[in-house]
Amino acid sequence: MRQVHVVPAAQARAIWMRAQRLDGAEPFGSGPAATKAAVEHLGYVQIDTINVIERSHHHILFSRIPSYRREDLATAQAKDKSVFEYWTHALSYVPVRDYRFFIPAMKLHKTKPDSWYASVAPKDYRALLRRIRDEGALSIRDIDDDVLVEKDHPWASKKPSKRAMQLGFYMGDLVVSRRDGMLKSYDLAERHFGWQRPRPASDTHYAQYLLDRALTAQGIVSLDSICYGGLKWKARVQALINGAVRRKELLPVEIEGGEGVKHWVAPEVLETAPVGAAEGRVHILSPFDPLVIQRTRFKMLFGHDHRFEAYVPAPKRVLGYFALPVTVGDRVVAALDLKTDRKAGKLLIQKWTWLNGGEQAGDKALIEAELARFERFQLAPTTSLE
């Protein structure tokens, strides 16, 4: 029986950080083109509504694009139309080049809509589409003739049109054509993109997309990390992995300390893994960052079981309401619970927790320097696209 190669944990971390582009100075360049390149490389950038600091989608891009500006993402979405919003494991920005991989999900929403949308009458939905076709892109604030209803959920709206817009979004008839903060404007998808919808990907093509996306953005992958948020695809992805192993395109490995979980890596990635390449680099990461969001994987490789405590009762919080993990090189050294006081024009440190054995020499000075840069980003004004 062939012995499985064991990858040292430090090498696995180096592979993952290189794949996440967290070990270089300016891996994607600058400007709107860098935003497009970053989203295409990562595969998705998760959107989140919490704004005690800058929202996660901007934060994730800032972590990889030092000169990032919020309007760069707005340009990519509304003008260049190189990214669009859809559901991955959560609502995310996704490359438009990958649109066809999401069409099967759109069709499923059309044939089997979630019970959440049962209150949307077909005639009202058709009327909404006609209105958008006639008037152009609309936000929920543009609709002032709804007969208001009582909210049946904390995230619901008194305006029935909001649910109809969301249904159109998930079915692919509508697309978020622009955002102003968290206010979304919806337009007809075909008009926004200027093309007819491409042919949908087959199940096999979608499974290959998941595998390719993970290999690009993770470097060293497991079945769980590939299929995060879509575990039903495991069997199809495993079949593709088996074929790649037979062709010697992928090498089966285990990670030191990984409890025997099977991983795979391209041989050339394993041979050129740049151990120590992230030395001295500091990142204050969003809890929704692709490096952090898969908590089990993050814990296995970095030794930190990150807790997202925004929904935890205050007396039970350990790290804080919106704690951000901090890496120095390939070590997770601290968690900072931060809050931006925009009125006072400063970044507040609510709680600073040292992790994994505590502070090492020089860590605090490095983190404080990055905090100053992070504060400038937090307080930078947003330029309108108009």
Side-chain angles (χ1 to χ4, degrees):
M1 183 175 177
R2 183 173 150 186
Q3 189 173 9
V4 176
H5 180 76
V6 177
V7 178
Q11 188 178 20
R13 287 194 298 273
I15 291 171
W16 195 13
M17 294 195 80
R18 167 57 58 90
Q20 281 289 306
R21 297 299 188 258
L22 290 171
D23 66 345
E26 202 172 28
F28 298 110
S30 61
T35 294
K36 173 180 182 289
V39 177
E40 288 183 346
H41 179 85
L42 296 172
Y44 64 85
V45 170
Q46 184 172 337
I47 299 168
D48 191 71
T49 60
I50 297 176
N51 70 335
V52 291
I53 61 164
E54 186 51 80
R55 302 184 199 274
S56 68
H57 38 292
H58 295 305
H59 186 171
I60 291 165
L61 291 168
F62 170 75
S63 294
R64 293 157 177 84
I65 306 171
S67 61
Y68 173 75
R69 304 175 307 161
R70 300 168 189 84
E71 51 265 34
D72 292 341
L73 182 56
T75 296
Q77 179 175 28
K79 288 191 172 181
D80 298 344
K81 299 170 186 177
S82 59
V83 303
F84 74 107
E85 296 183 29
Y86 207 68
W87 192 267
T88 53
H89 69 277
L91 187 63
S92 303
Y93 284 101
V94 184
V96 167
R97 70 174 189 190
D98 295 336
Y99 189 92
R100 71 189 188 96
F101 297 111
F102 296 86
I103 295 176
M106 296 172 184
K107 288 188 170 183
L108 187 61
H109 280 290
K110 193 164 278 194
T111 56
K112 296 181 179 178
D114 191 276
S115 59
W116 174 261
Y117 302 107
S119 62
V120 180
K123 65 180 180 59
D124 294 336
Y125 179 68
R126 291 193 296 269
L128 174 66
L129 293 185
R130 283 196 301 270
R131 182 169 178 178
I132 293 175
R133 183 175 293 111
D134 294 342
E135 298 181 24
L138 296 175
S139 74
I140 192 61
R141 288 184 188 170
D142 296 320
I143 297 176
D144 54 12
D145 56 356
D146 266 357
V147 177
L148 302 184
V149 298
E150 288 301 316
K151 293 172 65 169
D152 57 2
H153 189 278
W155 294 349
S157 170
K158 291 185 177 182
K159 291 184 176 182
S161 293
K162 181 175 181 180
R163 199 165 295 196
M165 285 175 162
Q166 291 171 333
L167 176 60
F169 167 81
Y170 282 108
M171 294 198 304
D173 294 332
L174 301 177
V175 66
V176 177
S177 59
R178 66 174 291 156
R179 273 182 180 262
D180 296 291
M182 295 306 287
L183 179 66
K184 296 174 279 190
S185 293
Y186 294 89
D187 201 355
L188 302 177
E190 292 184 0
R191 181 166 64 193
H192 174 74
F193 292 118
W195 41 244
Q196 290 192 336
R197 187 181 299 195
R199 295 183 64 179
S202 67
D203 285 353
T204 299
H205 287 154
Y206 183 74
Q208 186 68 55
Y209 157 75
L210 292 179
L211 175 57
D212 292 343
R213 185 179 74 179
L215 287 169
T216 298
Q218 299 172 18
I220 187 165
V221 300
S222 68
L223 209 50
D224 282 340
S225 77
I226 297 164
C227 300
Y228 182 68
L231 299 183
K232 69 178 183 179
W233 294 97
K234 278 188 170 184
R236 285 184 181 273
V237 170
Q238 183 68 71
L240 293 172
I241 290 171
N242 293 343
V245 170
R246 287 195 298 271
R247 295 188 300 272
K248 299 184 178 179
E249 296 168 356
L250 290 178
L251 181 68
V253 297
E254 292 179 5
I255 296 174
E256 177 188 22
E259 299 179 353
V261 175
K262 291 182 180 178
H263 285 76
W264 294 269
V265 62
E268 63 273 17
V269 170
L270 193 62
E271 291 165 5
T272 59
V275 177
E279 188 75 27
R281 297 202 176 277
V282 179
H283 294 289
I284 301 167
L285 296 171
S286 166
F288 303 107
D289 193 279
L291 194 79
V292 182
I293 193 65
Q294 295 195 35
R295 302 285 194 251
T296 301
R297 176 179 169 92
F298 191 58
K299 179 183 178 182
M300 178 187 70
L301 284 174
F302 288 92
H304 170 53
D305 187 9
H306 192 72
R307 287 167 52 101
F308 180 64
E309 299 177 337
Y311 304 117
V312 174
K316 295 184 178 181
R317 291 177 191 148
V318 175
L319 301 176
Y321 177 83
F322 201 72
L324 312 178
V326 181
T327 59
V328 176
D330 69 347
R331 298 177 293 121
V332 176
V333 302
L336 304 182
D337 184 23
L338 303 179
K339 181 178 180 179
T340 303
D341 186 337
R342 294 172 178 85
K343 186 176 289 187
K346 59 183 178 180
L347 184 68
L348 306 177
I349 302 174
Q350 311 280 75
K351 186 173 184 180
W352 184 314
T353 305
W354 289 107
L355 304 169
N356 292 337
E359 176 186 7
Q360 293 188 17
D363 284 350
K364 196 167 192 294
L366 288 170
I367 294 170
E368 286 176 340
E370 181 61 17
L371 273 169
R373 193 177 79 90
F374 192 63
E375 182 178 56
R376 291 193 294 273
F377 168 64
Q378 296 294 313
L379 300 173
T382 301
T383 303
S384 172
L385 279 180
E386 299 297 343

